[in-house]
């Protein structure tokens, strides 16, 4: 794709760079601002780094100075960018064994790398760039972790002291219904009410009180958020059936539950992985949301058939969630993006929902689960067919 590069001069006369009319560096003090960003972002415990964006080499040089002799892979977007780098760096300072400059990320394993993505690069390449979605997912996940890291660590320590056991894998015959808070739930909630004795209902915390108000008692609820905001989801609910919660879930909320509790240890969180390995517990792939974690739980519990309710990941107009749920998305219509719905219409979504949608799409590639969706105006998930009430009834009765 076409990319417009422009080398300019900042207020302090240092060279700066624009990509597609977006400033990659500060227009006042480029080098100083880059150094501050690198120092704030770099995890010194890591041995390998993947830097997105070569540009004039400012981020790379600062990263080298900060990390000394650690391995660094830096990605450049096109040949013109590489040429600009060479033109403005003719002394060969980057020609060392631990530095690798690449133009493709395919076939490479970066699990042990810290990925560094300056915000300006993501803005400059734009949503149409082939790498945008993947890089945005990484960036959103990183920001979420950074904002909650201290709280997650505190919750993990306190939750482990509760002494709750994890779950064990078994074989389940019933159909599992994953219930989220999307607006389509308003149209399909009666399906759950009629058949609740023949199905196992796994509800995200945000819909618990809505279900109870409709005389539906879920088999289990799932909590994953580290913050106090989720207290309202279960406080004074009277729900006493199973609670499954991530090891880093808000501790105060976990303690509110009066029924059986099961702790889930998640992939990607080092302390959780250590405990799971020590006691041979299953690990949960979280996917970044309570709904993605719930699907991972359902799969780990041994279910073969899963029906999605309220898992819209998109919305008509600006109605993002079902009524009487604890979920609210605050954002302007300008931030909305367009995706294809299950009925082939075009609906709105936003960046976070797109992250979860991509997770579900990737999950379905290799999963042995038979997954069905009931959200007519919800996002189309690969290999997950839309079903109507009659088909829902047939699937439930066949597997009861």
């Amino acid at each position: 794709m076409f990319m417009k590069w422009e080398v300019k001069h900042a207020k302090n006369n240092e060279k700066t760079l624009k990509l597609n009319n977006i400033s990659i560096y500060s227009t006042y003090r480029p080098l100083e601002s880059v150094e501050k960003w690198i120092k704030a972002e770099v995890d010194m415990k890591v041995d390998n780094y993947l830097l997105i964006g070569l540009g004039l080499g400012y981020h790379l040089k600062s990263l080298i100075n900060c990390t000394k002799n650690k391995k660094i892979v830096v990605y450049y977007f096109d040949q013109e960018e590489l040429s600009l780098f060479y033109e403005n760096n003719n002394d060969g300072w980057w020609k060392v064994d631990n530095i690798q400059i690449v133009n493709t990320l395919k076939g490479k394993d970066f699990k042990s790398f810290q990925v560094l993505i300056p915000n300006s690069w993501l803005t400059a390449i734009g949503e149409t760039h082939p790498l945008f979605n993947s890089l945005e997912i990484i960036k959103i996940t990183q920001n979420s972790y950074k904002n909650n890291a201290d709280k997650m660590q505190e919750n993990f320590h306190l939750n482990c002291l509760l002494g709750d056991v994890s779950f064990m894998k078994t074989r389940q015959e019933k159909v599992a219904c994953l219930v989220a808070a999307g607006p389509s739930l308003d149209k399909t909630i009666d399906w759950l009410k009629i058949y609740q004795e023949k199905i196992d209902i796994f509800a995200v915390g945000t819909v618990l009180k809505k279900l109870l108000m409709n005389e539906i008692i879920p088999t289990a609820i799932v909590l994953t958020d580290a913050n106090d905001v989720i207290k309202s989801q279960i406080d004074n609910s009277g729900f006493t059936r199973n609670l499954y919660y991530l090891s880093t879930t808000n501790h105060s909320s976990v303690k509110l539950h009066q029924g059986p509790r099961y702790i889930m240890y998640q992939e990607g969180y080092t302390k959780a992985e250590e405990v799971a390995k020590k006691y041979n517990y299953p690990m949960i792939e979280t996917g970044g949301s309570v709904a993605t974690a719930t699907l991972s739980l359902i799969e780990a519990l041994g279910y073969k058939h899963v029906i999605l309710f309220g898992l819209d990941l998109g919305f008509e107009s600006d109605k993002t969630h079902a009524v009487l749920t604890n979920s609210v998305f605050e954002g302007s219509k300008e931030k909305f993006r367009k995706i294809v719905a299950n009925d082939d219409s075009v609906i709105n979504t936003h960046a976070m929902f797109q992250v979860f949608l991509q997770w579900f799409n990737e999950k379905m590639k290799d999963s042995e689960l038979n997954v069905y969706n009931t959200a007519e105006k919800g996002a189309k998930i690969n290999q997950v067919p839309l079903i109507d009430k009659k088909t829902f009834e047939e699937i439930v009765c066949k597997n009861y």
Side-chain angles (χ1 to χ4, degrees):
M1 63 179 293
F2 176 75
M3 305 181 85
K4 181 183 177 183
W5 303 90
E6 298 175 274
V7 178
K8 301 285 188 178
H9 280 88
K11 296 292 184 181
N12 67 353
N13 211 37
E14 292 174 350
K15 288 183 179 179
T16 187
L17 181 67
K18 277 191 170 185
L19 170 58
N20 299 331
N21 295 318
I22 300 296
S23 294
I24 298 299
Y25 311 116
S26 166
T27 56
Y28 289 87
R29 297 181 178 86
L31 291 174
E32 181 181 327
S33 64
V34 164
E35 288 173 358
K36 287 182 178 178
W37 188 87
I38 287 293
K39 288 178 180 178
E41 292 290 320
V42 168
D43 182 355
M44 296 303 296
K45 298 177 184 176
V46 175
D47 292 325
N48 307 294
Y49 302 90
L50 170 61
L51 174 64
I52 301 298
L54 178 61
L56 300 180
Y58 294 168
H59 287 98
L60 175 58
K61 181 174 283 189
S62 181
L63 183 59
I64 291 172
N65 293 336
C66 185
T67 60
K68 302 305 179 185
N69 296 319
K70 293 183 178 181
K71 182 176 180 178
I72 298 172
V73 176
V74 57
Y75 173 85
Y76 67 94
F77 289 94
D78 67 11
Q79 190 62 39
E80 185 176 353
E81 178 187 3
L82 183 63
S83 297
L84 284 174
F85 171 75
Y86 287 151
E87 289 172 14
N88 290 276
N89 298 273
N90 54 17
D91 55 357
W93 54 265
W94 69 93
K95 294 180 179 179
V96 288
D97 291 341
N98 60 307
I99 308 300
Q100 185 180 7
I101 299 176
V102 302
N103 186 229
T104 181
L105 302 177
K106 291 182 179 179
K108 299 182 184 295
D109 184 5
F110 293 109
K111 288 183 179 180
S112 63
F113 286 65
Q114 180 186 6
V115 183
L116 297 164
I117 311 172
N119 293 327
S120 55
W121 283 106
L122 202 56
T123 305
I125 64 174
E127 295 177 18
T128 59
H129 193 281
L131 281 179
F132 180 85
N133 286 340
S134 298
L135 295 179
E136 185 181 47
I137 288 172
I138 295 170
K139 195 67 179 176
I140 289 175
T141 304
Q142 287 177 340
N143 289 340
S144 176
Y145 178 79
K146 186 186 297 183
N147 293 336
N148 295 292
D150 291 342
K151 188 66 176 176
M152 290 170 67
Q153 184 172 335
E154 176 187 357
N155 290 331
F156 180 84
H157 173 70
L158 294 173
N159 287 337
C160 287
L161 292 177
L162 292 173
D164 293 335
V165 298
S166 188
F167 62 92
M168 301 304 294
K169 294 183 179 181
T170 57
R171 179 176 175 82
Q172 306 288 344
E173 300 299 332
K174 280 186 178 181
V175 170
C177 292
L178 191 168
V179 187
S184 68
L185 183 61
D186 291 329
K187 298 179 180 179
T188 57
I189 194 168
D190 285 343
W191 305 9
L192 295 167
K193 184 174 182 178
I194 295 169
Y195 285 92
Q196 64 179 306
E197 299 302 323
K198 294 185 176 182
I199 56 180
D200 285 341
I201 300 173
F202 290 80
V204 304
T206 51
V207 297
L208 173 61
K209 291 183 178 179
K210 179 181 178 70
L211 293 178
L212 295 177
M213 288 177 65
N214 283 271
E215 300 180 334
I216 300 168
I217 304 176
T219 308
I221 60 170
V222 181
L223 300 179
T224 61
D225 200 304
N227 298 300
D228 290 341
V229 66
I230 64 170
K231 280 185 180 180
S232 61
Q233 296 177 7
I234 61 174
D235 192 22
N236 297 316
S237 67
F239 178 74
T240 58
R241 289 188 179 178
N242 296 335
L243 165 66
Y244 293 88
Y245 66 95
L246 283 186
S247 61
T248 52
T249 299
N250 182 258
H251 177 68
S252 298
S253 302
V254 172
K255 287 201 305 180
L256 286 174
H257 184 63
Q258 298 301 309
R261 298 186 306 233
Y262 300 92
I263 189 169
M264 302 186 295
Y265 296 100
Q266 64 266 48
E267 292 181 2
Y269 192 73
T270 303
K271 294 180 183 296
E273 290 181 341
E274 290 172 352
V275 174
K277 184 177 181 180
K278 180 178 180 179
Y279 294 103
N280 198 30
Y281 287 142
M283 281 192 291
I284 291 295
E285 183 184 356
T286 64
S289 80
V290 63
T292 51
T294 301
L295 184 67
S296 295
L297 169 66
I298 290 171
E299 181 180 43
L301 285 171
Y303 290 89
K304 295 301 180 184
H305 303 279
V306 185
I307 302 178
L308 309 177
F309 283 80
L311 192 75
D312 295 21
L313 303 177
F315 40 89
E316 290 186 284
S317 63
D318 57 355
K319 183 183 179 184
T320 60
H321 293 87
V323 296
L324 302 177
T325 64
N326 291 77
S327 295
V328 177
F329 170 70
E330 296 178 357
S332 66
K333 291 183 180 180
E334 286 74 23
K335 294 180 180 178
F336 291 166
R337 302 171 184 182
K338 302 296 183 181
I339 56 172
V340 178
N342 285 306
D343 64 354
D344 293 322
S345 64
V346 176
I347 58 174
N348 294 319
T349 191
H350 56 76
M352 188 61 79
F353 280 177
Q354 279 197 312
V355 169
F356 305 149
L357 175 58
Q358 183 158 332
W359 183 92
F360 276 101
N361 284 333
E362 289 297 318
K363 181 71 173 177
M364 290 302 101
K365 286 181 180 179
D366 302 315
S367 178
E368 295 182 358
L369 290 172
N370 298 307
V371 185
Y372 309 90
N373 206 334
T374 62
E376 185 177 14
K377 290 292 184 180
K380 183 176 289 188
I381 302 172
N382 294 342
Q383 301 179 49
V384 178
L386 175 69
I387 60 172
D388 56 17
K389 187 177 180 180
K390 181 180 179 182
T391 306
F392 165 74
E393 292 170 345
E394 291 173 352
I395 295 171
V396 168
C397 293
K398 182 179 180 181
N399 294 281
Y400 177 64

